[in-house]
Amino acid sequence: MLARICDLFFGQPRQRGTSHRVYRTPWPGDPRVNIQNNRGMAKSYQVRQVIKALERLQQDGS
């Protein structure tokens, strides 16, 4: 589910096919968007990264 949200907001990951999906963000540095499939669930710190990135995306867009 988290990967679908990231695909929607950040596009296709630049790295795929490995254990991690790395997404490009329109800004350099943190928050980075890097998620890992852990038995169908993302790790909690990665969920927090995505939330921070979505908040920044919203701030930059308004």
Side-chain angles (χ1 to χ4, degrees), residues 4-61:
R4 289 183 187 168
I5 292 169
C6 291
D7 288 347
L8 179 66
F9 286 96
F10 302 109
Q12 292 298 308
R14 62 183 175 159
Q15 183 174 345
R16 171 184 239 173
T18 63
S19 62
H20 288 76
R21 293 170 63 111
V22 179
Y23 291 90
R24 246 178 238 273
T25 56
W27 55 80
D30 290 327
R32 293 185 174 94
V33 179
N34 175 5
I35 61 174
Q36 180 179 11
N37 185 348
N38 183 21
R39 298 183 194 163
M41 302 288 287
K43 297 187 179 204
S44 60
Y45 77 91
Q46 294 167 337
V47 173
R48 288 191 298 271
Q49 281 179 339
V50 171
I51 290 170
K52 283 180 94 173
L54 291 173
E55 288 172 347
R56 179 159 178 191
L57 207 89
Q58 184 179 18
Q59 288 174 349
D60 291 352

